Amino acid sequence: MKNTPLGEGKPQTQLLARLLEKLYSSNIYESFICIAVLTFTGGFLNAYTYVLHGEYLSTMNTGNMARIGLAIAAGDMAGTAPYFMSIAGNALGAMTTFICRALLAGKLKDQWQKVCLWAEMGIFLCVGLLPTELLHTPINFLISFMAGFQLASFTMWEGNLVATTIASGNIRFVGEYMGNAILNPTWKNFIKLFLFVAITVSFVFGVVFGARLSGDWGRYSIFFVCFLLLVLLFLEGDITRKNKASVARA
């Protein structure tokens, strides 16, 4: 679709067509649906660990670093340990992604993100079966590790950078999209801004839903995240089958 300036063409028709095009693209892992769902899960996981595991934020490590500073200022050095564990888990998850992709690039080709979703789902299933009241630090570490794993594996939307487990980076990108829409007022740029705002806000909805579900279902609420990841894998398989059928017909 051409970058039609605002006020030209049929905006309602173009808006609908552009939205449909972006919601369900041929590359599921860079589509709006995938990135929004993963960002939602990022918020959900923060609520899960906050409500059930000692009020720690498993993916928001800016907040964890601030808490380390506050603990040091209060003279509570022992109180910094859980936050260090969360930060270390996140960094190790990103490091593992980098090493695995480098070592397995020739074997996995474009399948790495599918492997990531299966790995996340397996770890979260295990987390849901662990006793909530006894294992706060190990569970926070595992969830933070997988958050780093996800953050390093899903980095692009529409050819631009995106963060699926944190909100601060995306807020900056919202500002950039806003600036681009103001300087280049086309339907394409405004729709892009709208969708990226929706991705960013999905993190908040994930926190809200995660807090409610964690309060109602306890440790088993993380199985809802597993369900969402399974949906993404199903969509990827559906798109792959359609693409193969299209090539066969051609």
Side-chain angles (χ1 to χ4, degrees):
M1 189 184 77
K2 296 181 179 179
N3 293 352
T4 307
L6 294 179
E8 296 183 15
K10 298 180 179 179
Q12 294 84 0
T13 303
Q14 291 188 15
L15 177 64
L16 179 60
R18 187 67 180 171
L19 282 171
L20 292 175
E21 173 189 333
K22 289 179 178 295
L23 290 179
Y24 197 66
S25 66
S26 58
N27 183 355
I28 183 64
Y29 298 126
E30 291 188 15
S31 69
F32 171 82
I33 288 177
C34 180
I35 298 302
V37 167
L38 291 178
T39 305
F40 177 94
T41 65
F44 189 105
L45 293 172
N46 275 295
Y48 181 84
T49 54
Y50 187 87
V51 172
L52 299 174
H53 296 290
E55 298 187 353
Y56 298 122
L57 301 173
S58 56
T59 75
M60 298 289 285
N61 285 306
T62 301
N64 288 329
M65 293 183 75
R67 289 188 172 192
I68 288 174
L70 291 171
I72 292 173
D76 181 18
M77 298 303 295
T80 65
Y83 305 114
F84 271 122
M85 289 293 288
S86 181
I87 293 169
N90 201 265
L92 288 172
M95 181 193 74
T96 301
T97 299
F98 181 83
I99 292 174
C100 289
R101 293 183 74 170
L103 295 177
L104 302 174
K107 298 179 180 179
L108 292 177
K109 295 183 180 179
D110 299 327
Q111 299 299 305
W112 172 255
Q113 289 163 313
K114 181 187 291 187
V115 171
C116 177
L117 293 181
W118 280 113
E120 281 193 78
M121 194 160 51
I123 291 295
F124 294 153
L125 283 171
C126 292
V127 166
L129 298 175
L130 294 174
T132 300
E133 65 281 359
L134 299 178
L135 299 169
H136 291 323
T137 299
I139 287 175
N140 283 323
F141 178 84
L142 277 175
I143 292 178
S144 188
F145 178 90
M146 295 314 300
F149 202 71
Q150 175 179 301
L151 183 64
S153 298
F154 298 86
T155 60
M156 304 297 292
W157 174 70
E158 291 266 312
N160 298 293
L161 290 174
V162 66
T164 60
T165 62
I166 55 178
S168 52
N170 285 342
I171 292 172
R172 168 208 156 189
F173 295 138
V174 166
E176 293 183 359
Y177 281 117
M178 289 175 65
N180 187 45
I182 290 171
L183 293 176
N184 303 287
T186 65
W187 284 111
K188 176 181 178 180
N189 289 336
F190 274 92
I191 291 169
K192 206 168 188 177
L193 169 62
F194 170 79
L195 291 176
F196 198 82
V197 169
I199 287 172
T200 304
V201 172
S202 69
F203 185 91
V204 179
F205 284 107
V207 173
V208 173
F209 198 80
R212 293 289 186 95
L213 210 60
S214 296
D216 293 338
W217 293 4
R219 66 188 186 189
Y220 303 116
S221 58
I222 202 169
F223 293 157
F224 182 73
V225 173
C226 298
F227 168 74
L228 293 178
L229 299 179
L230 192 61
V231 169
L232 291 179
L233 287 165
F234 171 80
L235 291 177
E236 189 274 341
D238 184 53
I239 288 177
T240 300
R241 286 191 295 272
K242 289 179 179 178
N243 288 341
K244 287 182 179 179
S246 177
V247 171
R249 286 195 298 270

